[in-house]
């Protein structure tokens, strides 16, 4: 007998028939004698619709009310799954974030979990009742509903697994594991049996949305065993593990991409001490995250261009902040573009191997793809390229690093 957490993503609970299939899967574990917490997402497409409605009502929606609206999708699926379980004889009860409570800070729309009270659930689980928890949501200190950022049900699941001392946290989704790159774009992507926490963290933070970044962070910190698998087929998925559990280390184990990038160039700023602080200080104060940065060498020793990337949603605000600071920054003009993607090659083996970046640059050059910005970390090389080259670049890099599956089309 074990304690398990199972999380079902949007496609796994997309309609009533699928919810009934999920109920059968949960029943199997209950019949095997396990104690279960099940975490559900909203039906696929629902959260997008809810976000669109809040944006249509007001572009400046109060984040606390945004959370009231967008958290509602998970309430529906939690209730439906509890009903589906009861209908097949499995005792079950739904739980909203505020009912546990799952406590978060007050950063609406991107709240962080501060603690979870599992007293009631633990007692009921010991009696054989399944807890069906609405993912993605929590409650703030002043008892408002909060949400954990898009994809946040993964983080709800891992946090619950840590608090429940679960043996494993199974994340059921629409692919059967973590692949070397997004299998929806590269047909030759290969499923990984195992991936290290560190690589998974880098993959997620570079855009591979299969797991929310914070969920991996939390799994790593609390040593939660996470498995990513499909709710449509019955086979083992990918385990996220410690580095020492992987015997054969690849130099490059995966390639991630993010369409959520926008590029801003501040042209002809004076090349003097303090210019970077003058540009990025106000952006930071406005809560805008800057990712990649390049500063060109100044042509005449006086003026330079500063190029950087922000999330697509922040582009208008970032330009406004720079315009408001024009007197202070002193630049000629601002050029912005949202037709860009970031592609990152990732692998812990990079620490001890040279030439990974060079291979990336050469491969892209051979395809005639221009690199606009570059950034690196210990286990990652990332480039920004025009969006139209995404698929071509991903496929070429996937082959170049020897990641292609042998048997795929
Ligand atoms: P869910 O709704 O179950 O949370 P998501 O859409 O959030 O599912 O995440 C699953 C998706 O992640 C897949 O459909 C796939 O397109 C995408 N994805 C991106 N990179 C990868 C990768 N390296 N391995 C597997 N899936 C990936
Ligand atoms: N329903 C939320 C979203 O679409 C949370 C999740 O599915 O993880 O972002
Ligand atoms: Mg997701």
């Amino acid at each position: 007998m074990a304690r398990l957490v199972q999380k079902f993503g949007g496609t796994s609970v997309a309609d009533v028939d699928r919810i009934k299939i999920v109920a059968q899967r949960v029943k199997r574990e209950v019949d095997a004698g396990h104690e279960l917490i099940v975490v559900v997402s909203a039906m696929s497409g629902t959260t997008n619709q809810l976000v669109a409605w809040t944006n249509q009502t007001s572009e400046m929606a109060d984040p606390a009310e945004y959370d009231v609206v967008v958290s509602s999708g998970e309430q529906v699926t939690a209730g439906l799954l509890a009903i589906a379980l009861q209908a097949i004889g499995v005792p079950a009860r739904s739980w909203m974030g505020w009912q546990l409570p799952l406590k978060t800070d007050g950063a609406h729309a991107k709240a962080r979990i501060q603690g979870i009270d599992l007293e009631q659930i633990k007692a009921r689980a010991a009696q054989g009742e399944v807890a069906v928890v609405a993912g993605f949501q929590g409650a703030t200190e002043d008892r408002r509903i909060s949400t954990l950022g898009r994809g946040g049900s993964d983080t709800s699941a891992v946090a619950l697994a840590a608090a429940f001392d679960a043996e494993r946290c199974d994340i059921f989704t629409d692919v059967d594991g973590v692949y070397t790159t997004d299998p929806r774009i590269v047909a030759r992507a290969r499923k990984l049996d195992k991936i290290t926490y560190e690589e998974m963290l880098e993959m997620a933070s570079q855009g591979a949305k299969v797991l929310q970044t914070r969920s991996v962070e939390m799994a790593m910190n609390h040593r939660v065993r996470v498995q990513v698998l499909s709710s449509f087929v019955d086979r083992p998925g990918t385990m996220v593990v410690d580095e020492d559990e992987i015997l054969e280390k690849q130099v490059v184990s995966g390639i991630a991409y993010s369409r959520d990038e926008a590029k801003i160039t501040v042209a002809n700023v004076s090349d003097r001490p303090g210019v970077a602080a003058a540009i990025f200080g106000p952006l930071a104060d406005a809560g805008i995250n800057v990712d990649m940065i390049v500063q060109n060498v100044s042509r005449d020793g006086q003026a330079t261009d500063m190029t950087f990337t922000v999330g697509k949603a922040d582009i208008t605000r970032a330009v406004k902040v720079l315009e408001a600071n024009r007197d202070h920054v002193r630049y000629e003009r601002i050029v912005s573009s949202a037709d860009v993607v970031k592609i990152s090659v990732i692998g812990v083996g990079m620490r001890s191997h040279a030439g990974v970046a060079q291979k990336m640059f050469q491969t892209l050059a051979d395809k005639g793809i221009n690199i606009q910005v570059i950034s690196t970390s210990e286990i990652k090389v990332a480039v920004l390229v025009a969006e139209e080259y995404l698929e071509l670049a991903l496929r070429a890099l996937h082959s170049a690093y020897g990641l292609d599956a042998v048997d795929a089309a």
Side-chain angles (χ1 to χ4, degrees):
M1 198 203 81
R3 285 177 164 174
L4 297 176
V5 171
Q6 297 190 319
K7 177 253 170 177
F8 294 90
T11 45
S12 310
V13 292
D15 54 40
V16 168
D17 287 338
R18 289 202 181 159
I19 290 174
K20 287 182 180 170
I21 294 171
V22 166
Q24 290 295 345
R25 192 177 267 274
V26 171
K27 183 175 190 297
R28 254 173 28 208
E29 303 297 347
V30 174
D31 290 346
H34 302 316
E35 290 181 20
L36 244 73
I37 295 180
V38 181
V39 180
V40 287
S41 287
M43 292 179 181
S44 59
T46 297
T47 311
N48 287 346
Q49 175 67 74
L50 296 168
V51 170
W53 282 340
T54 61
N55 290 340
Q56 285 160 21
T57 309
S58 164
E59 272 180 25
M60 304 294 283
D62 171 2
E65 297 306 336
Y66 165 97
D67 278 350
V68 171
V69 179
V70 304
S71 63
S72 64
E74 274 73 9
Q75 174 158 346
V76 174
T77 43
L80 289 174
L81 181 57
I83 293 171
L85 284 165
Q86 290 168 0
I88 54 173
V90 178
R93 184 56 70 209
S94 66
W95 299 85
M96 301 305 105
W98 62 269
Q99 288 172 310
L100 291 171
L102 183 151
K103 288 189 195 135
T104 73
D105 63 14
H108 284 285
K110 48 174 189 266
R112 279 182 176 270
I113 298 174
Q114 289 180 330
I116 306 179
D117 185 347
L118 277 191
E119 212 179 309
Q120 294 188 72
I121 283 191
K122 276 184 178 161
R124 286 160 176 252
Q127 308 288 316
E129 185 177 283
V130 174
V132 183
V133 177
F136 183 47
Q137 55 167 270
T140 65
E141 180 91 61
D142 50 356
R143 295 200 290 165
R144 304 304 313 177
I145 295 173
S146 54
T147 64
L148 309 177
R150 297 304 306 270
S153 296
D154 298 331
T155 304
S156 310
V158 173
L160 284 159
F164 196 46
D165 275 324
E167 187 162 292
R168 209 175 58 238
C169 179
D170 284 340
I171 307 279
F172 289 91
T173 183
D174 57 354
V175 285
D176 61 354
V178 178
Y179 280 69
T180 44
T181 192
D182 190 342
R184 299 201 183 283
I185 296 200
V186 179
R188 286 175 180 272
R190 201 156 36 83
K191 184 177 139 192
L192 302 165
D193 293 333
K194 294 177 181 172
I195 184 167
T196 66
Y197 288 113
E198 223 181 338
E199 285 166 324
M200 192 62 241
L201 187 61
E202 198 77 61
M203 290 273 273
S205 71
Q206 295 306 309
K209 65 173 185 160
V210 61
L211 287 176
Q212 197 198 33
T213 307
R214 271 188 205 159
S215 73
V216 188
E217 226 165 51
M218 195 172 290
M220 190 159 134
N221 291 340
H222 296 273
R223 286 294 178 264
V224 175
R225 291 182 71 76
V226 172
Q227 178 178 211
V228 176
L229 68 173
S230 165
S231 60
F232 302 103
V233 293
D234 216 358
R235 56 171 172 259
T238 302
M239 289 297 309
V240 187
V241 299
D242 271 324
E243 208 172 319
D244 55 17
E245 284 189 52
I246 295 188
L247 299 176
E248 224 184 307
K249 291 190 182 62
Q250 303 292 327
V251 178
V252 167
S253 48
I255 307 178
Y257 69 90
S258 167
R259 294 183 201 269
D260 183 26
E261 301 285 325
K263 185 179 76 163
I264 297 177
T265 299
V266 187
N268 264 333
V269 282
S270 56
D271 195 5
R272 61 187 159 86
V275 64
I279 292 176
F280 298 116
L283 292 173
D285 292 343
I288 296 171
N289 274 332
V290 172
D291 180 15
M292 310 168 98
I293 301 177
V294 279
Q295 181 181 348
N296 290 348
V297 178
S298 52
R299 287 172 289 268
D300 50 9
Q302 291 187 352
T304 181
D305 292 346
M306 187 80 84
T307 298
F308 56 91
T309 63
V310 297
K312 271 202 171 89
D314 285 335
I315 186 163
T316 315
R317 227 153 45 86
V319 171
K320 277 197 183 128
V321 168
L322 291 168
E323 282 169 357
N325 283 280
R326 186 162 192 166
D327 287 349
H328 188 45
V329 181
R330 279 181 282 149
Y331 56 84
E332 189 190 306
R333 69 201 143 89
I334 295 174
V335 188
S336 62
S337 129
D339 310 330
V340 288
V341 287
K342 183 174 64 171
I343 299 180
S344 313
V345 301
I346 291 147
V348 286
M350 258 182 231
R351 289 197 200 107
S352 49
H353 280 79
V356 174
Q358 174 51 25
K359 182 174 269 185
M360 184 175 203
F361 305 155
Q362 191 59 54
T363 305
L364 295 174
D366 291 346
K367 295 284 178 196
I369 301 171
N370 185 41
I371 298 172
Q372 304 183 11
V373 187
I374 300 170
S375 78
T376 61
S377 76
E378 202 188 15
I379 65 164
K380 169 204 85 190
V381 187
V383 297
L384 196 74
V385 301
E387 190 164 19
E388 60 185 305
Y389 294 125
L390 172 64
E391 297 188 11
L392 178 64
L394 270 187
R395 293 201 183 107
L397 291 168
H398 199 263
S399 297
Y401 288 107
L403 297 173
D404 286 354
V406 200
D407 51 348

